[in-house]
Amino acid sequence: MTSTGKTMRTVSAGLCGAVLAAALTAAPAQAAPSTEGPAWGLKPTGTDARFRGLAAVSRSTAWVAGSRGTVLRTPDGGRTWRNVSPAGAGELEFRDVEAFDGRRAVVLAIGEGEASRIFRTDDGGASWTESFRNTDPRAFYDCVTFFDRRHGLAVSDPVDGRYRVLSTADGGRTWEVLPDTGMPAALPGEAAFAASGQCLVSSGPEDVWLATGGGATARVLHSSDRGLNWTVAASTVPAGDPARGVFALAFRDRAHGIAVGGDYRTGQPSPRAAAVSRDGGRTWRQAHTPPPAYRSGVTWLPHSRSAALAVGPTGTDLTTDGGRTWRTVDTGSYDTVDCAADRGCWAAGEKGRVARLER
């Protein structure tokens, strides 16, 4: 990607799903927020940092990571937040956090060269160990994901024409660069978006997907062997510009996925901002009624086969039919969204905004 494109991309950057679906399936799609359905409850954090990294552990425990090297953790449903930022990280931009529980987590800082770093904590953020620092000025790491408590991957924008992938087998304590022989060539200008920590996502013990934009086509890459070999498919989300493409993915199993994105620039239209796959990302179909604007984060609601939420700077949208149609249910600004197995769903974004889904 050109330096101009890279600069633009860096800037962009008790609820039961079944009950929710039953309550809202009959409601028509609409642009205005609904007076029924899910409702976010703001949880003041006491900071104005922008949180693009989010890990929902449960309804009571969540981690957020963001600008100025800020990492916060709540143990009590957002009533209080503990500043657990790594020491000396004030110049870093955290864009992803993956938490195993309330004590163990991994955070990713983005940027060119040594600005891309990974840290791990085993004591709730009281102390952190820097486990990776990028030394290649051509690399720019965007997202991290874990298959289980030991195995995970992190991805960089293309280096020498191919995406670079890091692998860990010890929970993020050490990392190694995987060979790129199984990685398809990147398109001219193509990259991943470090907008919500959801450009690289996994489901199950082996499958992982990578979302792209910036090139002529917004694509989704898939690996079924933890990042050694990849296939690639075109999505229906518009690209052709450094500010457009797929920004986030969510897979509820190894077959059913949702992609969201658009054009992150304020005031720019984002038609066809969502797509769905039912075959593990081999093919993608345009949402019949997509979100009305750019969306940077998406998550399936727990224990539901059809309900999901997408978020962005202009609102939250709900689907109850697996991503085919979406309706706006909130107009608050959020960059990322995540749900825990106990139905604890959280969202985070600009000016320190963090919320939990209260119904």
Side-chain angles (χ1 to χ4, degrees):
M1 174 173 283
T2 65
S3 59
T4 300
K6 172 62 71 176
T7 300
M8 292 176 67
R9 189 176 58 78
T10 305
V11 173
S12 70
L15 173 67
C16 175
V19 173
L20 180 63
L24 297 181
T25 297
Q30 56 187 38
S34 172
T35 57
E36 300 177 353
W40 293 116
L42 287 171
K43 308 295 181 182
T45 60
T47 178
D48 64 354
R50 186 165 195 166
F51 295 119
R52 295 183 183 269
L54 167 66
V57 176
S58 66
R59 280 187 59 80
S60 60
T61 302
W63 299 69
V64 291
S67 58
R68 302 193 301 276
T70 307
V71 181
L72 306 182
R73 177 176 60 86
T74 180
D76 54 15
R79 288 192 296 275
T80 62
W81 292 89
R82 299 176 183 176
N83 188 332
V84 295
S85 306
E91 299 299 316
L92 299 178
E93 289 288 324
F94 290 127
R95 294 292 179 93
D96 201 352
V97 55
E98 301 290 325
F100 308 113
D101 50 41
R103 296 185 61 78
R104 292 172 289 184
V106 170
V107 294
L108 170 73
I110 68 157
E112 296 175 345
E114 292 192 357
S116 284
R117 306 180 196 181
I118 299 175
F119 299 80
R120 178 184 164 108
T121 183
D122 290 294
D123 55 13
S127 63
W128 295 85
T129 300
E130 182 181 301
S131 58
F132 172 77
R133 182 181 295 205
N134 174 48
T135 58
D136 190 333
R138 302 169 299 170
F140 185 114
Y141 285 85
D142 300 287
C143 293
V144 62
T145 190
F146 277 84
F147 303 96
D148 52 42
R149 290 175 179 263
R150 295 173 52 215
H151 300 92
L153 301 177
V155 68
S156 163
D157 288 340
V159 176
D160 294 329
R162 299 179 190 274
Y163 288 94
R164 178 170 290 180
V165 178
L166 292 178
S167 175
T168 180
D170 56 13
R173 295 178 177 87
T174 61
W175 298 83
E176 64 175 356
V177 177
L178 292 180
D180 65 2
T181 53
M183 176 66 72
L187 299 176
E190 188 181 37
F193 291 102
S196 62
Q198 295 176 327
C199 66
L200 185 72
V201 301
S202 57
S203 180
E206 303 280 344
D207 289 275
V208 59
W209 294 264
L210 167 63
T212 80
T217 303
R219 308 193 299 171
V220 178
L221 282 67
H222 171 236
S223 171
S224 59
D225 57 7
R226 290 185 184 164
L228 292 176
N229 296 283
W230 298 79
T231 57
V232 62
S235 79
T236 62
V237 177
D241 185 279
R244 295 201 297 261
V246 176
F247 281 71
L249 297 168
F251 275 79
R252 66 172 173 83
D253 52 38
R254 67 191 309 260
H256 297 85
I258 296 174
V260 300
D263 188 322
Y264 74 76
R265 294 171 294 190
T266 302
Q268 292 297 309
S270 291
R272 295 181 285 147
V276 296
S277 176
R278 296 179 180 175
D279 55 11
R282 288 191 293 273
T283 61
W284 292 87
R285 294 188 299 174
Q286 178 183 336
H288 182 270
T289 306
Y294 157 71
R295 295 296 181 250
S296 55
V298 63
T299 188
W300 290 91
L301 293 177
H303 315 298
S304 172
R305 298 179 62 84
S306 59
L309 293 171
V311 300
T314 61
T316 299
D317 303 293
L318 168 74
T319 179
T320 58
D321 55 12
R324 183 176 179 272
T325 62
W326 297 82
R327 60 187 293 240
T328 301
V329 293
D330 185 271
T331 56
S333 175
Y334 298 103
D335 292 313
T336 187
V337 62
D338 190 31
C339 291
D342 71 347
R343 306 185 181 101
C345 293
W346 298 77
E350 62 181 349
K351 299 179 181 178
R353 284 172 58 89
V354 180
R356 190 182 69 179
L357 209 57
E358 301 298 348
R359 73 164 193 261

